[in-house]
Structure formats: structure tokens, C-alpha cells
Amino acid sequence: MTIDLTALGWDADRAHDVRHRTDHRPGRVARVDRGVCTVLGVDGPVRATLGGAVLAAAAHDPTRLPCAGDWVLLATWPDRNVTVEAVLPRRTALIRRTAGKDARGQVLAANLTAAAVVEPVHPEPDTGRIERLLALAHESGARPLVVLTKIDLAPDPAALARQLAAVAPGVPVLPVSAARGAGLDPLRAEVVSGRTLGLLGPSGAGKSSLVNALATAVVMPAQGVRRVDGRGRHTTTWRALVPVPGGGAVLDTPGVRAVGLLDGVVGLHRAFADIAELAAGCRYADCGHDAEPACAVREALDSGELPARRYESWRRLQREVAYETRRRGVRLAAERHGARRRASRPSRPPAPGGC
């Protein structure tokens, strides 16, 4: 089995960056299972463990561990073991805050050209979740999309798409039905040769069904939502890169119950571009949009131009990003202080009679 790496996104720039490493071969990570990577190489998929250089880098920064979508360099040893010896620089990365207290990030997917926020129309779309995930998608550097799934359950999908466009300024909102094959053409354009579409959304949103529809094969298990409460079942528990016939790839991520933002100032600004445009009209450049005079944001809120729900969502995410930025700053300062203390600690003299 051979794989055309250019169809998965390998290009002249990446080849130029590793031209001196002739003892290694490139590949793209399809999935990671407990530190073992399935990597798509020119000779087909291989299983690879992590090399020493990768482990050493990850000890200082866990985001440097390989994840689905990464381009890596592989080495094959005399005993036929294969190791990942380097993770190549990422052009884009979906990074969420981890659930722990150390203010670190977790890379969900790498090297996406487009990141789709997948939201089901049934029982009803969660606008707050769309806004949060759009901020994450904007921050990644990939082109964001909103994909409304299961439109066969909506009486007027086009009207719903127009309604939700208000919470996704400048972002295409695509209503689709994987079951009926409706509305998939715009998504197929995102997985042509060299491009990768990432899917991000809750369990039961239909991400796996989209993967199967785009791959024209059943490659991911798919289940619906529970009829009792409409909540999704967790079907995909890993991140998986799936090549698409004809070139390109789609990357499915596990259903996320909650996504914490990490240093997402740029993404938040873009996700709420309508409010950012209003804020540019405030009298004071440092306006807090609370009780300051001539606040264009408050004026739009009072007039009804800016919905109160969207304003509160924006302020809530602003506070979250500011808090996480401060926490990360404290952690990094503590790490630098600890490194200085260790560097200045005098060496112990050898014991008497020692070698």
C-alpha cells in the first residue's frame, strides 16, 4: 500500500525544511493511542513509539507531543521498531485548556486548513457553544466554518442558518444532512488534495456521519442522540485523521462537553467581530463597556441592536480568557524562577576519599 503524501498536505516548503534530515522519512499522524502513533507514510500506515528527543521536548511542554494531523519524521531501527524523532512546526493548531490547575493547553488537532464547528439542529442549536467553539477555531489559524447537521429535522433549515449567521459574523453557515447527502458539496470542497477539514462539536452532533459521507465509506462508528433527553452518545473517543478518496483529509475529534479557552484573545476578537467593531466607536480606547460615557457597545445594547445574550456571552468569555492568561503568566514566572534557583545552586563538593 502506498500513500500520496502531497494529497495529505506535504509540500515543497515542508520538504525544504527537512532537506538535511535524509536519515528520516516524513509521515502524518492519523491517531495517537497512549503514546503510540499511527502514522501515514509513503509506504502505508505504521505504528511508531515516541523517540527520546520528542519525549524530552514534551517534558517541558506537553503541547509538543504529536497529535492527529501533525507532520512528523520517522526513524526505523535495526530491530524494525519505528520511532517518531521530530514533530514538525504546526501551521495551525486547535488548542483547548486542560481541565487541570496548571493552565496548560491540549492540542486537539494540527495543520487544519479549515475548522468546522458542528452543531445539530435538534433539539435546538446552542448559540453559546457555537460562539465558544468559533473562538477556538479562529484562534487556531484555520478557516472557521459552522456546519448545521441533521437539517432533515428542521422545518426551515435556510431560515435557521440565516438566524445563526448573527452569532458567526463573516463565517459560512452550512446546513447539511449526512443521512440524505444534502448540502455536502461545500464541505467536499474543503477536503480536496492538500487540504484538511477538522470537525469540532458535541457528542451526537453527527461528526462521524459527516466523516463517513465525505470518505464515501463507513470509517467511523456513528450513533444518534438519546431520544429521552436529546443528549449525544460518545462514539468517537480519539482524534482520527481520515484520508478522503481523490485527496485531502477530514479529522474527527471526540465529542466535547466543555472547551476551555487558553490565551484566546485573537480568536475571541474575531468570533465577536461585530462587538469589536462597535467597541471601536467608544469614546475611550480603554472603555470597559460598563458605565463609561459614550460607550458604543452599551448604546447598541440599550437600543436592542446588540442582543443581551450575545453581550453576556462575550463578557463571560473575555473574563475566562483574561483569567487563564494571568494563570499562565504566573505558572511561567514560577517555572523561570525555579530554573534560576537550580542554576544558581552551588555544586556539592566531592565526598572525602571519593573518586
Side-chain angles (χ1 to χ4, degrees):
M1 176 183 180
T2 60
I3 295 177
D4 180 7
L5 295 187
T6 59
L8 294 180
W10 186 255
D11 56 27
D13 289 338
R14 286 193 170 98
H16 182 270
D17 291 341
V18 299
R19 64 192 185 281
H20 299 304
R21 305 192 67 165
T22 56
D23 53 337
H24 298 95
R25 64 188 191 279
R28 195 167 189 196
V29 177
R31 60 181 285 182
V32 180
D33 301 289
R34 299 181 180 179
V36 179
C37 302
T38 299
V39 182
L40 305 178
V42 67
D43 295 323
V46 296
R47 300 273 284 173
T49 56
L50 304 183
V54 172
L55 289 173
H60 298 283
D61 181 2
T63 64
R64 297 179 69 176
L65 284 170
C67 74
D70 268 326
W71 285 98
V72 298
L73 294 180
L74 302 174
T76 301
W77 300 91
D79 60 1
R80 296 187 179 180
N81 284 333
V82 181
T83 56
V84 175
E85 293 300 309
V87 178
L88 301 185
R90 295 162 177 148
R91 294 179 181 174
T92 65
L94 274 173
I95 304 176
R96 71 171 176 180
R97 175 176 50 82
T98 56
K101 298 181 179 181
D102 57 357
R104 294 185 183 273
Q106 177 192 18
V107 184
L108 296 177
N111 298 307
L112 305 177
T113 48
V117 174
V118 182
E119 183 70 19
V121 302
H122 181 77
E124 63 179 351
D126 186 328
T127 52
R129 180 168 57 208
I130 292 173
E131 289 165 337
R132 176 180 288 272
L133 294 182
L134 272 178
L136 192 73
H138 276 292
E139 190 72 20
S140 75
R143 190 170 73 88
L145 307 168
V146 174
V147 178
L148 299 179
T149 57
K150 307 180 183 182
I151 58 170
D152 47 293
L153 302 178
D156 192 346
L160 185 58
R162 289 193 296 269
Q163 176 186 339
L164 290 177
V167 302
V171 175
V173 179
L174 309 175
V176 306
S177 171
R180 296 184 178 178
L184 293 176
D185 286 345
L187 284 181
R188 290 194 176 99
E190 300 295 339
V191 290
V192 295
S193 182
R195 298 181 62 84
T196 302
L197 171 68
L199 305 179
L200 183 68
S203 295
K207 299 188 302 298
S208 297
S209 296
L210 282 177
V211 174
N212 294 336
L214 293 171
T216 64
V218 178
V219 293
M220 302 293 286
Q223 297 180 27
V225 296
R226 295 195 294 258
R227 291 185 178 181
V228 176
D229 56 8
R231 295 174 61 188
R233 302 168 182 170
H234 282 269
T235 55
T236 303
T237 56
W238 63 86
R239 289 168 283 281
L241 179 84
V242 178
V244 172
V250 59
L251 199 157
D252 189 15
T253 62
V256 288
R257 291 189 178 93
V259 171
L261 301 182
L262 183 76
D263 293 351
V265 175
V266 174
L268 192 60
H269 182 87
R270 292 176 179 171
F272 290 85
D274 53 336
I275 301 182
E277 184 177 353
L278 287 171
C282 294
R283 175 183 297 176
Y284 302 108
D286 61 347
C287 183
H289 317 299
D290 189 9
E292 294 86 350
C295 172
V297 173
R298 296 296 307 185
E299 290 173 0
L301 186 64
D302 294 340
S303 70
E305 176 188 354
L306 174 61
R309 186 216 60 80
R310 183 158 172 81
Y311 171 78
E312 291 300 331
S313 178
W314 174 61
R315 293 301 297 265
R316 181 170 58 253
L317 293 178
Q318 273 193 321
R319 290 191 295 268
E320 180 179 326
V321 167
Y323 174 70
E324 294 303 329
T325 300
R326 290 194 299 271
R327 281 210 314 158
R328 184 169 182 268
V330 169
R331 176 179 61 80
L332 292 176
E335 290 176 355
R336 289 192 295 268
H337 178 67
R340 287 195 298 268
R341 289 190 62 181
R342 288 190 295 271
S344 62
R345 189 176 300 162
S347 302
R348 291 184 177 182
C355 297

